[in-house]
Amino acid sequence: MTTAQRRGRAVALEPTVAVLSRRGRLTVAEPLFGRGPRVTLPGKALGDARVGDLVLVGGGKRGARVVRVLGRPDIARDVLEALMVDRGLRRAFPRSVELEADEREAEVGPHDEASRAGRRDLTDLPTFTIDPISARDFDDAISARREDARVRVWVHIADVSAYVEPSRAIEAEAYRRGTSVYVPDAVEPMLPEALSNRACSLVPGEERLAVTVEMEMDGTDAVSTSFYRSVIRSDERLNYQQVDRIFAGEERAEEPWAGPLEAARAVSAALREKRGRRGALEVDSREPVFEFDKQGNVVAVVHEEQTESHELIEHLMILANEQVARYLSGRKVPTLYRVHERPSPQAVEYLVEKLASLDVPTPPLPEDMTPQQAADAVGEISRMVAEHVRRTGRGQAALTSLVLRSLKQAYYSPHNLGHAGLASTHYCHFTSPIRRYPDLVVHRGLLASLGLDDHAPRAEDMEEAGLESSAAERHAMEIERASQDICQAFLLERALEESGYELDFEGEVVGLIGAGAFVSFGDEGYEGFLPVRRMRGDWWSLNEEGTALEGERSGSVLRLGDPVGVRVERVDTARGRVDLTPAASQ
């Protein structure tokens, strides 16, 4: 209880996610995520909440009270909801925004003659989408057709700008949110459901308004490109696993999308080879996909790898983004570019030193490197690291992290400075306007420059829009990472309750700081922290490169990528934290 509360004065309280507990005869709200004071609540302030509930507590002139019951702290889905609320996500749209979205859905669309006017009718063109099984909104669709030695590719993107008008409620809310935030089994969308899941989503069998990039491809070269508004109809919603089975010959592709899929596959393969030759980064990543039961408990995780089906969509979207960026840049249209500046030569030199300390092969570096030479070197280093990981079967997480940390962070800017990671001189985000505000800005700039829309972005607004969008993206990534940690912690706790806590795991060092090692362990990819104070029998210190803990007495070394046996000491599910101790056999 605070001094002001003891003196009987009501104090303003920042909204806090907390768990209700009993302290003698008092009900106390204990902050779940470790921020804010412990608050004593009178019985009338509890509403329908009970001891043990996960709640949102707020306060004002009448004192602290339960604003909302969020669930239970032992249910993963409820804790994820609490995380989003704690990090400032609203979890609902203002009524004015919902009403406007419903109105726009009713007024605009393929059913409206005014909306169709001036658009190309592509509804007879075989078209398909490829997305995760769990996807709810579909920004992009693909068409492709072989024409003698060339392939014509159409990338269709949801025409969100037809529904979202500047200076109105949806626009203001989309700008404020900046991006959709995805956590396991939940999403905080940028746009209301009437648009994100219905009117703008390119669902199969339904006519939809789109903006199309049509490219005639001669190998990897777009010999002609055109942009226009269209009406499309997707013939099939494909998912990544299904497409991979088709590519492996385990499942049959159906007409009318079988031929277009094969033509798109050929273009994607050629683009993959070209991007490797021009020095784009090679980074292998595995995204965790969690499964929940009906009660909201995490019951399993699958680490989804980047397969050929993912690459097909990735390469075609990159191609469309580059074509749009090149067009806008050439005409000096105010817009937002996706910028990834070239790394500093000093950062690349330090990266090579770190990798050398781990006996990872690296290329020779030129003296007095320029930023472009540094970018080229990182591309080559990323490929050598990927090959080292494939050969040794170790170090993927740790070594990939070292490469990525040597790079500058990508951001949105009105200035076209290129994208070093993709080795692209012109790049923007155009292909996901349902979930990213910068894509909506790019659509408006493109359509206005073509004389198809009156809502051209204003140059004087672009700097701030870039800063706000970049900040929103970083905030979303922090929430998404925290949510994955929470799910992993719940899954680990469940496994330990079933199998017993006295289990030893074989792990791998994925990160190091002076205080200890971050270790990935178990088939499910759990991660925890092994503090040096638990590694008894020696004094440990971090080496100069930050790649190894060295024992001062024994001379033992624990390096990034090294195997290590661990046992779980404690699991803090709400914070997604796992504390480790050396395995009994260590």
Side-chain angles (χ1 to χ4, degrees):
M1 183 181 297
T2 65
T3 302
Q5 286 174 315
R6 285 195 297 270
R7 292 176 179 173
R9 297 201 306 269
V11 294
L13 177 70
E14 287 293 322
T16 303
V17 171
V19 178
L20 298 181
S21 63
R22 182 73 69 185
R23 297 277 178 138
R25 289 185 293 178
L26 301 175
T27 301
V28 176
E30 306 266 3
L32 179 67
F33 299 108
R35 293 188 294 274
R38 178 188 300 161
V39 179
T40 301
L41 298 171
K44 62 182 180 180
L46 298 178
D48 295 331
R50 297 174 296 174
V51 169
D53 280 349
L54 183 56
V55 299
L56 179 65
V57 176
K61 294 182 179 180
R62 297 185 178 181
R65 64 184 180 87
V66 173
V67 176
R68 177 183 166 195
V69 177
L70 300 172
R72 303 289 294 185
D74 57 345
I75 302 295
R77 187 180 288 143
D78 294 345
V79 174
L80 293 177
E81 180 70 19
L83 172 72
M84 291 189 283
V85 171
D86 180 74
R87 297 297 179 89
L89 303 187
R90 293 187 178 180
R91 305 303 296 131
F93 286 90
R95 182 62 177 158
S96 61
V97 174
E98 293 278 12
L99 289 174
E100 185 181 312
D102 291 340
E103 291 172 2
R104 297 302 288 169
E105 181 185 22
E107 295 169 356
V108 180
H111 58 274
D112 174 52
E113 288 302 319
S115 299
R116 294 182 76 105
R119 292 178 181 270
R120 296 193 192 182
D121 188 337
L122 302 181
T123 52
D124 290 335
L125 183 67
T127 300
F128 58 88
T129 61
I130 306 178
D131 291 279
I133 293 176
S134 59
R136 301 176 183 177
D137 52 65
F138 307 97
D139 293 272
D140 55 88
I142 299 295
S143 302
R145 181 174 67 213
R146 289 191 178 276
E147 297 179 349
D148 297 325
R150 296 179 176 179
V151 177
R152 189 171 298 275
V153 176
W154 293 261
V155 175
H156 314 286
I157 306 301
D159 190 357
V160 175
S161 62
Y163 294 86
V164 180
E165 297 181 322
S167 304
R168 297 198 57 183
I170 301 175
E171 162 74 13
E173 186 68 8
Y175 181 88
R176 187 194 70 78
R177 295 184 178 221
T179 183
S180 296
V181 182
Y182 296 91
V183 306
D185 208 42
V187 62
E188 172 91 342
M190 185 181 79
L191 298 175
E193 184 176 350
L195 301 184
S196 61
N197 284 14
R198 298 203 300 266
C200 296
S201 187
L202 308 182
V203 294
E206 299 291 337
E207 293 188 356
R208 288 291 184 263
L209 304 183
V211 179
T212 294
V213 182
E214 181 180 341
M215 297 161 285
E216 183 182 359
M217 303 298 297
D218 184 1
T220 59
D221 297 325
V223 295
S224 69
T225 303
S226 56
F227 313 94
Y228 48 85
R229 277 180 150 159
S230 61
V231 180
I232 70 162
R233 181 176 53 238
S234 173
D235 294 287
E236 190 70 30
R237 177 201 166 183
L238 305 175
N239 61 67
Y240 291 126
Q241 291 88 337
Q242 178 185 7
V243 173
D244 284 327
R245 290 194 300 271
I246 291 170
F247 289 167
E250 299 170 358
E251 186 171 323
R252 181 181 175 184
E254 303 292 339
E255 297 298 341
W257 48 268
L261 176 62
E262 186 56 38
R265 183 187 188 186
V267 173
S268 172
L271 290 172
R272 179 175 62 248
E273 292 181 11
K274 178 183 178 180
R275 294 197 174 106
R277 290 194 305 270
R278 76 184 189 187
L281 287 175
E282 181 178 342
V283 177
D284 293 327
S285 62
R286 298 194 312 157
E287 290 296 322
V289 179
F290 295 93
E291 297 177 14
F292 292 76
D293 62 17
K294 293 181 180 179
Q295 289 72 42
N297 301 300
V298 184
V299 294
V301 62
V302 175
H303 291 272
E304 194 171 85
E305 297 186 7
Q306 289 291 107
T307 63
E308 187 181 358
S309 62
H310 294 81
E311 291 180 349
L312 186 151
I313 291 299
E314 178 183 358
H315 290 308
L316 293 182
M317 294 306 111
I318 291 172
L319 176 65
N321 287 337
E322 289 176 329
Q323 297 301 311
V324 172
R326 187 170 287 110
Y327 175 89
L328 295 176
S329 176
R331 287 156 182 79
K332 302 188 184 305
V333 176
T335 192
L336 289 176
Y337 295 94
R338 181 62 169 178
V339 170
H340 189 202
E341 294 186 67
R342 293 169 295 189
S344 71
Q346 294 80 7
V348 176
E349 290 169 354
Y350 192 33
L351 170 63
V352 167
E353 291 176 10
K354 290 184 175 185
L355 293 173
S357 73
L358 297 169
D359 301 322
V360 178
T362 57
L365 299 179
E367 294 184 12
D368 301 321
M369 263 192 303
T370 65
Q372 184 56 55
Q373 287 174 320
D376 294 340
V378 169
E380 187 174 357
I381 289 168
S382 72
R383 291 186 289 278
M384 294 180 75
V385 164
E387 176 57 33
H388 175 81
V389 170
R390 285 191 288 268
R391 186 177 66 255
T392 63
R394 288 170 34 204
Q396 178 173 329
L399 299 180
T400 299
S401 178
L402 286 182
V403 173
L404 293 178
R405 287 207 304 270
S406 72
L407 305 173
K408 296 181 180 179
Q409 190 169 37
Y411 62 95
Y412 295 104
S413 170
H415 310 293
N416 178 34
L417 302 177
H419 196 293
L422 296 172
S424 180
T425 57
H426 299 75
Y427 197 69
C428 66
H429 275 167
F430 163 79
T431 54
S432 295
I434 290 177
R435 62 183 179 90
R436 290 188 305 225
Y437 185 80
D439 300 57
L440 178 56
V441 172
V442 170
H443 274 239
R444 287 175 176 159
L446 174 65
L447 295 171
S449 71
L450 294 168
L452 301 176
D453 201 300
D454 297 329
H455 303 306
R458 299 189 307 174
E460 58 268 28
D461 296 337
M462 291 298 94
E463 198 75 48
E464 181 178 352
L467 291 171
E468 292 292 332
S469 296
S470 298
E473 177 190 46
R474 291 191 296 272
H475 185 52
M477 290 174 63
E478 291 169 359
I479 295 172
E480 289 166 6
R481 282 196 294 265
S483 70
Q484 292 173 2
D485 290 343
I486 288 170
C487 286
Q488 287 283 24
F490 268 103
L491 191 61
L492 174 60
E493 185 176 63
R494 181 188 184 97
L496 293 174
E497 287 174 352
E498 293 175 354
S499 303
Y501 280 78
E502 301 301 312
L503 289 177
D504 287 346
F505 294 90
E506 282 299 317
E508 181 178 293
V509 178
V510 296
L512 291 168
I513 58 176
F518 295 94
V519 179
S520 175
F521 61 97
D523 295 336
E524 290 77 9
Y526 306 123
E527 187 172 313
F529 185 67
L530 175 63
V532 291
R533 58 184 172 80
R534 295 289 185 189
M535 298 162 60
R536 302 187 184 279
D538 213 331
W539 293 99
W540 298 89
S541 60
L542 192 64
N543 69 350
E544 185 176 351
E545 294 83 8
T547 58
L549 287 170
E550 299 173 340
E552 296 181 8
R553 295 177 182 172
S554 65
S556 299
V557 177
L558 185 64
R559 307 190 308 172
L560 290 172
D562 279 355
V564 60
V566 294
R567 177 173 290 187
V568 176
E569 181 178 336
R570 188 173 74 97
V571 179
D572 184 343
T573 52
R575 295 175 179 82
R577 177 171 175 172
V578 178
D579 294 332
L580 303 173
T581 192
S585 58
Q586 296 286 301

